Amino acid sequence: MRELPNRHPLVLAAKHLEAGKGEYGALLRLSTQTLDRVGSGLPISPNSEEFELWFGRDYPDKPPSVVVRHKRFLGYPHVLAQCVRFPDVFFCSICIYLDVAREWHPAFGLDRVVARLVEWLEDAAADRFDSRTALYHPIGGLPPSPRVAGTLIVRPSTPAPPRKPISLATIESRAPHRSDLVRWAKRSGDDPASTTSALVVRTKEPMVLGLGRTSTLGDLLARVEAAKGPPVVAVLGAVERLLPHLTDGTLRIIVEVAHPAVESLTYVACAMAPVPRIATQRATIASHLHNLPIGWITVSDERTEIATRRDHQRPTSAYTDKTIEIWGCGGLGSWMAEFIARAGARRFVLRDTGAVAGGLLVRQNYTEDDVGLPKATQLAMRLRAISDDLEVSAEPSSALDVLADGYVPTTDILIDATINVTVGARLDEWARAASGRPLIAQVATDPRSATLGILAVADPAAPFGPATIDDATWLAVHTDPTLERFHGFWTPPRKTDQLVPALGCSTPTFHGSAADLACLAGSLVSLLAGHLGSSAPGTHLIEASHARGPDGGGHYFIPYKAT
């Protein structure tokens, strides 16, 4: 490092720091006199602050670590106790890059690092961070160690306060690598063969110094007590009483840590250890437990008060808690079902009388293990594997039989993906006579390439079904020369438009790959989501981006107009 970053107006001084082992650094003194500050902001000195920038062997592929050697910044957003580069010496590490993979470029250089540090300092002094969202973690510092294999899934919301400082939670061992917290309580009716208990200890304060290298139960409980958690002796007594009742041979200690800004929020970590063989003399039990080696497993905290769904701002969020019936579990139906299931639907009804054949695997959402089995039942199994909360039923009856028997829908949305003209006609007749019906959608792809898609939507208030909308759409499409490529949805297919999958007497089928079908299905699912809660009957015509090379990727909505 030949040049130190001293060109920023707030840099008062800069000098080299040597650390050896490939580490080198710079000590920066930044002026704080002109910074806006408020009482609740970062407690900075009135004239200047010193920061150390440490560069490792991975620089410039990764940015330098930014640290301070005092504790004044502890507990503030983006400030962690200790530093990955120097875990044995006390530093406070400042996260000026929250996502290094996206925010850092090897060509940025030191000037960009200093500018980013100054930006953080300005925001921190003026208290512009929201501690609810910007705080790195109420359990500050380096991740606890030693780490052991395994993941604990936490989904149930924590009960409202007041809550006891020590309690039991119910744990279900789902697989060797995964266990689930299924309840923040222990019930007498729990099946001991499938569930066990975890001890939950709660703190009244955040743990700004983190859990660090807490390799024994005594180390952990001392830190818990320091954060105004239950006394060490009380937790040791609870552990002693719990040990005989653990059914899977594993002791789990869930540490529930208070959030510094939001009283109702907590964060969790989980330590675990094999159930020990301990002496029967009470004088030695506490000592044995105090020195019990522990390890830390990964916690996937998915509670609604903590986690935000990654798709919550996308159109598919409209499917949350919705119920869906799909007729036809083939090319479009099988992919649409999965995408809607992942969007948070609550219940599915699947109808298809066909079985999975080996040739279908190139484009439909099935695997080798499904071949020879009913599509509806196998797709139902796949959807259940996506979400534990999803209810799915597979019905063997055909769409025509259901309509003939006086169909009574039980879902919010009905998707006809049969690509069957007769089904469409009968569904339209039923829609004209039915009351209180769901939103009805009809989907299909072109037979020649499966790169064109059509979605006809009839909202619950429309006194007709998709077939009526389809007829009106054709009147608009065949008079518009720019939509000529979509004519295949209404005209008889040419000989080359369909594929005869096997020699001999074989029913012609569509061309298309899994990539084609999944591409269209994803777009159709998102477009259909926009009709939930609206009254805008009409037809979407879509084109995959690769349908016509660089000219592909069109989308057209044709509102329904009565003829």
Side-chain angles (χ1 to χ4, degrees):
M1 185 173 61
R2 297 181 179 178
E3 237 181 79
L4 291 176
N6 55 9
R7 291 187 289 272
H8 196 283
L10 293 188
V11 176
L12 300 177
K15 68 177 182 179
H16 290 288
L17 296 171
E18 298 293 340
K21 295 183 180 181
E23 298 280 351
Y24 58 95
L27 177 65
L28 298 180
R29 185 155 55 89
L30 302 180
S31 172
T32 59
Q33 295 182 7
T34 60
L35 298 182
D36 294 332
R37 67 189 77 190
V38 298
S40 55
L42 190 73
I44 59 175
S45 299
N47 295 316
S48 64
E49 286 283 356
E50 288 189 345
F51 298 87
E52 296 180 20
L53 275 60
W54 286 100
F55 304 81
R57 297 173 183 174
D58 51 8
Y59 179 81
D61 291 338
K62 291 184 180 180
S65 299
V66 181
V67 301
V68 294
R69 291 181 180 258
H70 56 75
K71 298 182 180 181
R72 284 185 289 113
F73 295 169
L74 269 181
Y76 201 80
H78 304 277
V79 179
L80 298 178
Q82 302 297 86
C83 173
V84 175
R85 297 193 188 277
F86 309 107
D88 298 322
V89 182
F90 183 82
F91 287 86
C92 274
S93 179
I94 300 172
C95 299
I96 62 173
Y97 294 100
L98 296 184
D99 187 350
V100 172
R102 292 191 302 113
E103 299 174 27
W104 173 255
H105 192 284
F108 278 174
L110 299 184
D111 283 341
R112 294 287 289 269
V113 176
V114 174
R116 187 68 173 252
L117 173 58
V118 169
E119 180 184 354
W120 175 85
L121 188 61
E122 291 172 340
D123 289 340
D127 196 25
R128 298 185 187 124
F129 293 122
D130 180 352
S131 59
R132 179 188 176 102
T133 57
L135 188 68
Y136 179 81
H137 209 291
I139 307 175
L142 299 179
S145 61
R147 308 297 295 181
V148 295
T151 298
L152 175 68
I153 308 296
V154 181
R155 286 175 180 161
S157 295
T158 50
R163 301 176 61 202
K164 297 179 180 179
I166 304 175
S167 65
L168 295 178
T170 301
I171 301 293
E172 184 174 77
S173 295
R174 181 162 180 159
H177 62 280
R178 170 180 173 174
S179 54
D180 289 31
L181 189 153
V182 294
R183 273 187 300 280
W184 290 93
K186 180 66 177 174
R187 295 179 183 172
S188 58
D190 287 334
D191 180 5
S194 60
T195 62
T196 188
S197 296
L199 198 68
V200 181
V201 294
R202 300 178 183 86
T203 72
K204 294 181 180 179
E205 293 182 349
M207 303 180 80
V208 294
L209 291 175
L211 291 166
R213 294 184 176 182
T214 44
S215 58
T216 68
L217 183 57
D219 294 338
L220 165 61
L221 300 186
R223 296 194 182 221
V224 168
E225 185 173 4
K228 293 189 177 180
V232 172
V233 64
V235 182
L236 290 177
V239 171
E240 180 186 346
R241 294 188 295 272
L242 176 62
L243 290 180
H245 304 285
L246 297 176
T247 57
D248 64 350
T250 301
L251 169 66
R252 295 177 180 84
I253 305 289
I254 296 175
V255 186
E256 192 182 351
V257 180
H259 192 286
V262 185
E263 184 179 358
S264 61
L265 292 184
T266 59
Y267 280 68
V268 296
C270 183
M272 60 189 301
V275 172
R277 292 183 178 181
I278 58 177
T280 56
Q281 295 181 358
R282 180 165 297 278
T284 61
I285 292 176
S287 175
H288 191 103
L289 290 176
H290 197 278
N291 295 310
L292 179 67
I294 61 173
W296 296 89
I297 64 172
T298 299
V299 173
S300 179
D301 195 340
E302 301 171 17
R303 293 173 290 167
T304 55
E305 62 264 34
I306 295 294
T308 300
R309 283 185 61 106
R310 289 156 175 79
D311 63 352
H312 77 285
Q313 292 183 331
R314 305 306 303 147
T316 53
S317 63
Y319 292 108
T320 302
D321 289 331
K322 290 293 189 294
T323 58
I324 296 95
E325 184 165 347
I326 294 183
W327 295 356
C329 302
L332 280 179
S334 63
W335 291 111
M336 291 182 72
E338 172 156 344
F339 298 151
I340 295 174
R342 293 185 183 277
R346 177 166 49 88
R347 182 168 65 88
F348 272 90
V349 178
L350 305 176
R351 298 187 189 276
D352 196 304
T353 59
V356 180
L360 300 179
L361 302 185
V362 299
R363 74 178 192 195
Q364 298 188 12
N365 193 14
Y366 298 99
T367 68
E368 291 280 8
D369 291 339
D370 299 323
V371 173
L373 297 172
K375 288 183 181 180
T377 59
Q378 297 311 106
L379 182 59
M381 289 179 59
R382 182 172 181 84
L383 299 188
R384 294 189 193 105
I386 291 172
S387 171
D388 292 341
D389 299 325
L390 186 60
E391 178 186 344
V392 188
S393 62
E395 304 294 341
S397 52
S398 72
L400 290 176
D401 290 341
V402 168
L403 291 169
D405 291 340
Y407 173 57
V408 178
T410 61
T411 61
D412 302 313
I413 307 165
L414 169 61
I415 299 175
D416 173 20
T418 60
I419 316 179
N420 185 306
V421 176
T422 302
V423 170
R426 295 294 183 233
L427 180 59
D428 201 79
E429 294 172 0
W430 173 85
R432 291 178 178 278
S435 59
R437 60 179 179 77
L439 181 146
I440 304 175
Q442 194 173 66
V443 295
T445 66
D446 70 298
R448 186 173 64 86
S449 66
T451 60
L452 304 179
I454 184 170
L455 165 65
V457 186
D459 62 87
F464 44 76
T468 297
I469 296 174
D470 187 74
D471 291 340
T473 301
W474 169 235
L475 292 177
V477 169
H478 90 280
T479 58
D480 186 342
T482 65
L483 300 179
E484 184 177 356
R485 61 192 180 282
F486 293 100
H487 285 193
F489 285 118
W490 293 273
T491 58
R494 296 170 294 182
K495 290 183 179 181
T496 57
D497 285 349
Q498 297 188 87
L499 170 71
V500 178
L503 296 178
C505 184
S506 180
T507 302
T509 187
F510 301 133
H511 294 269
S513 67
D516 296 324
L517 271 297
C519 170
L520 291 180
S523 294
L524 295 176
V525 164
S526 294
L527 291 171
L528 177 58
H531 288 267
L532 298 180
S534 70
S535 56
T539 300
H540 294 271
L541 299 174
I542 64 172
E543 178 182 45
S545 57
H546 61 282
R548 293 180 294 140
D551 297 324
H555 167 232
Y556 311 89
F557 178 66
I558 302 174
Y560 170 75
K561 294 181 180 179
T563 57

